[in-house]
Amino acid sequence: MTQTPTAAPPLEGLRILEFAGLGPGPFAGMMLADMGAEVIRIDRPGGGISPTVGAADPTLDYLARGRRSLALNLKSPEAKEIALRLIEGADGLIEGYRPGVMERLGLGPEVALARNPRLVYGRMTGWGQAGPVSHSAGHDLNYIAITGALWASGPADRAPAFPMNLLGDFGGGGMFLAYGMVAGFLKAARTGQGDVIDAAICDGTHALMAMIHSMRAMGKWQDARQANALDGGVPWYGVYECSDGRWISIGALEPQFWAKLLELLNLDPATIGDRADRSTWPAIRATLTEVFLSADRDHWCALLEGTDACFAPVLSPAEAADYPHNIARGAFAPGGGDQPMPAPRFAHAATPLPGRPPRAGQDSRAVLEDAGFATEEVAELIRSGVVACAPAHPEEDPT
């Protein structure tokens, strides 16, 4: 870690090796790169491992932005030594393989920290590094299934619902890995000793459930879907359809916000029912359903947006980039289509949009030479196939 000016990105001066993987690992790498860390992605020669890209242009894989790419054939002993030499000059490492894979490659935590005791070694898995099912395959849906979060989500009369892979992979997984890495960097800066971060998606999702478990302990949460204030159980916290088939959200949990909503909808509080009485909830829901179906979404935006009724339109991903509040906040990259900008923001430190995602191996030569490898050594590694080079653009010559 090097000294940086106060206006620099928060993590500028940190160097992190990222062994290319899927979903939550790249998301953690994106978060760290967004904050200014130098992230060097170790790719397979030819790349092509990301299901978010497939046969599409890999430079559109936003999770991979802000990286340089070194393509290594990790099955060769020479590649292992290259990786260890890079580890010696790194502050952190992140990997998302199954438990034991990095050890079999000769790049596990014991070997890495022996080379660099200050290294923060981040491990991203679904089940964790240990446990009865830790070596079995799984995906986001399986990991959140054992936390209670999946069971508790969705309408009462249907199967549990899940919010794409946002809750597990990214909320409980990649975000906790990035948080753990930054905590590890702070420890290493104070003590000179690195650490190994066991970031499991199931563990992170358990942590995200802390408030729900707290409410259960207090007797304020029922173990039933759509029976509580935050799971669609109450009619004043939910999603309603409009006459044009689009949707709006209402979140008037507190009494003053509920009063404002009724006022703006011209509904008499005395006749709509006492919301403290659960028996009135079906009738209140039916009234709100009828009201919101009486006009289109634009009408309700004009009436309720920007008020204390706790209202927002439900936007599609395509609509989000054109929403006035998102435009005012600069939520998406200028001229970048629907690419989200780095978050959070700092009053003094800069967090500009990182460079575009690399093609696998496009920076191989530069990464190695910057790490102290001689030009002739690099050329021989490329000739032998240990290291692969690729052009930044398909029409360029990789040599």
Side-chain angles (χ1 to χ4, degrees):
M1 188 183 301
T2 59
Q3 293 295 319
T4 57
T6 57
L11 299 183
E12 185 170 299
L14 288 169
R15 177 174 294 169
I16 300 165
L17 301 181
E18 174 193 349
F19 284 78
L22 307 176
F27 180 69
M30 184 196 81
M31 291 184 67
L32 297 167
D34 282 357
M35 295 297 109
E38 178 192 359
V39 180
I40 298 169
R41 193 177 71 196
I42 309 298
D43 279 307
R44 298 175 184 173
I49 64 166
S50 176
T52 62
V53 176
D57 181 353
T59 63
L60 296 177
D61 182 7
Y62 301 149
L63 292 186
R65 69 191 184 193
R67 320 289 211 279
R68 292 199 293 169
S69 171
L70 165 65
L72 285 182
N73 178 6
L74 288 173
K75 294 180 180 178
S76 70
E78 295 90 346
K80 168 191 166 183
E81 187 55 36
I82 291 170
L84 288 172
R85 285 173 65 178
L86 293 173
I87 283 169
E88 290 174 359
D91 298 288
L93 178 155
I94 58 178
E95 58 95 0
Y97 301 143
R98 286 201 206 188
V101 170
M102 286 293 278
E103 283 82 353
R104 289 194 294 274
L105 290 170
L107 298 170
E110 275 193 45
V111 174
L113 269 75
R115 287 286 189 109
N116 179 359
R118 295 176 58 89
L119 185 74
V120 178
Y121 194 113
R123 317 197 78 175
M124 182 79 260
T125 60
W127 307 116
Q129 295 296 313
V133 297
S134 61
H135 284 78
S136 62
H139 277 296
D140 174 287
L141 185 62
N142 310 122
Y143 309 138
I144 67 173
I146 68 167
T147 68
L150 176 59
W151 183 92
S153 300
D157 58 350
R158 276 170 272 171
F162 49 97
M164 300 179 282
N165 62 335
L166 301 179
L167 173 59
D169 279 351
F170 302 120
M175 196 168 294
F176 274 83
L177 175 58
Y179 167 65
M181 294 297 291
V182 172
F185 294 141
L186 292 172
K187 176 195 170 189
R190 291 195 315 272
T191 67
Q193 179 61 50
D195 213 328
V196 182
I197 314 300
D198 178 0
I201 293 170
C202 56
D203 292 348
T205 308
H206 283 307
L208 293 175
M209 287 282 287
M211 187 183 78
I212 304 303
H213 285 298
S214 177
M215 294 173 74
R216 288 182 69 252
M218 297 175 186
K220 296 181 179 180
W221 189 273
Q222 297 185 39
D223 273 351
R225 282 196 301 281
Q226 208 173 19
N228 303 281
L230 301 177
D231 65 357
V234 298
W236 46 88
Y237 194 83
V239 174
Y240 290 91
E241 188 176 6
C242 306
S243 64
D244 56 0
R246 296 189 290 178
W247 302 82
I248 59 169
S249 66
I250 296 295
L253 287 172
E254 291 81 2
Q256 67 271 26
F257 301 146
W258 175 239
K260 174 56 70 174
L261 177 65
L262 296 183
E263 174 193 333
L264 292 170
L265 295 179
N266 199 28
L267 294 173
D268 183 0
T271 58
I272 198 168
D274 179 8
R275 70 180 204 166
D277 180 356
R278 294 179 70 98
S279 68
T280 67
W281 292 2
I284 295 174
R285 191 184 303 278
T287 297
L288 292 179
T289 298
E290 180 181 4
V291 167
F292 289 125
L293 275 171
S294 70
D296 62 20
R297 192 180 74 182
D298 290 344
H299 170 84
W300 299 118
C301 286
L303 178 67
L304 301 173
E305 206 161 24
T307 74
D308 278 354
C310 299
F311 164 92
V314 177
L315 303 177
S316 72
E319 292 177 306
D322 296 323
Y323 186 61
H325 183 79
N326 294 338
I327 292 172
R329 292 283 300 169
F332 293 89
D338 53 1
Q339 180 175 185
M341 288 293 287
R345 306 171 190 198
F346 295 77
H348 303 294
T351 52
L353 185 70
R356 65 188 299 185
R359 294 182 184 276
Q362 75 172 48
D363 306 295
S364 294
R365 190 184 302 274
V367 166
L368 293 178
E369 291 181 352
D370 289 351
F373 287 72
T375 302
E376 297 79 9
E377 185 181 10
V378 173
E380 178 55 35
L381 289 168
I382 293 171
R383 279 194 297 270
S384 67
V386 175
V387 173
C389 280
H393 304 287
E395 66 276 7
E396 295 177 357
D397 180 357
T399 60

